[in-house]
Amino acid sequence: MDIHLVQGDITEQRVDAIVNAANSSLLGGGGVDGAIHRKGGPDILAECRQLRASTYGKGLPTGQAAATTAGRLPARWVIHTVGPVHSATEDRSDLLSSCFRESLRVADELKARSVAFPAVSTGVYHWPMDDAARIAVRTVRETSTSVREVRFVLFDADAYAAFEQAIGASDATDRR
């Protein structure tokens, strides 16, 4: 699998699937979630409502993933995942790791070959960027998947630098 870093807007990525750092309601929100719903249009929200009416009546659980159309986005699908809120007193890193693993599982079900991820949980959920990058890169590299290209699409230079450092550290560990 090829892993690439992109500084930019995830809603502009021409990939099979983009991952949405969603809230459990699946009904839109701020940050990446709001941008995806705004640019993707009403079809995404309509399918999210269908998911809530059928499979996820109480909302999408943290660490899980589900797919919808991408509406007007250049991707084919949106894979929604709910990241954990960071806690200084409880280790929730397994839940964050699960977001990436489950998103890749859903991508495999869709037969997606290229997936773009945001920095899940680093916005309003306050996960420290360096730690989130380490968990994301490690999980993607360790997950068995048919996905051929993963892009981490980072909004700013600080996030890009954190993911760049995580990839470098992961490369160094792989060479041992």
Side-chain angles (χ1 to χ4, degrees):
M1 165 194 335
D2 294 326
I3 297 176
H4 302 281
L5 301 180
V6 175
Q7 185 177 335
D9 182 347
I10 198 165
T11 66
E12 297 174 359
Q13 298 302 303
R14 294 190 179 281
V15 291
D16 293 331
I18 63 171
V19 175
N20 180 17
N23 62 53
S24 64
S25 77
L26 294 175
L27 302 179
V32 170
D33 193 19
I36 286 171
H37 277 271
R38 279 190 304 278
K39 287 190 176 183
D43 291 346
I44 296 172
L45 182 58
E47 285 193 23
C48 284
R49 284 189 171 130
Q50 288 175 346
L51 285 171
R52 285 297 305 270
S54 59
T55 312
Y56 300 108
K58 294 182 180 179
L60 184 63
T62 302
Q64 297 300 303
T68 64
T69 180
R72 296 187 303 243
L73 298 171
R76 293 178 63 192
W77 301 285
V78 174
I79 299 172
H80 306 268
T81 191
V82 180
V85 174
H86 184 262
S87 170
T89 60
E90 179 184 350
D91 181 8
R92 298 177 179 168
S93 55
D94 284 347
L95 286 170
L96 183 56
S97 183
S98 181
C99 291
F100 294 93
R101 203 170 30 258
E102 287 296 306
S103 293
L104 289 171
R105 180 189 60 75
V106 170
D108 283 343
E109 289 175 359
L110 297 168
K111 298 188 178 7
R113 294 295 178 248
S114 55
V115 177
F117 282 98
V120 176
S121 284
T122 61
V124 297
Y125 289 177
H126 304 291
W127 204 285
M129 187 63 72
D130 292 342
D131 192 45
R134 179 187 58 78
I135 291 167
V137 169
R138 182 193 69 222
T139 303
V140 165
R141 284 201 164 149
E142 291 176 354
T143 300
S144 177
T145 180
S146 297
V147 172
R148 297 288 173 239
E149 178 191 2
V150 167
R151 291 183 202 168
F152 288 107
V153 182
L154 298 315
F155 190 71
D156 62 26
D158 290 340
Y160 187 96
F163 274 78
E164 191 171 47
Q165 183 175 1
I167 286 174
S170 179
D171 286 344
T173 301
D174 288 347
R175 286 192 292 265
R176 288 185 198 161

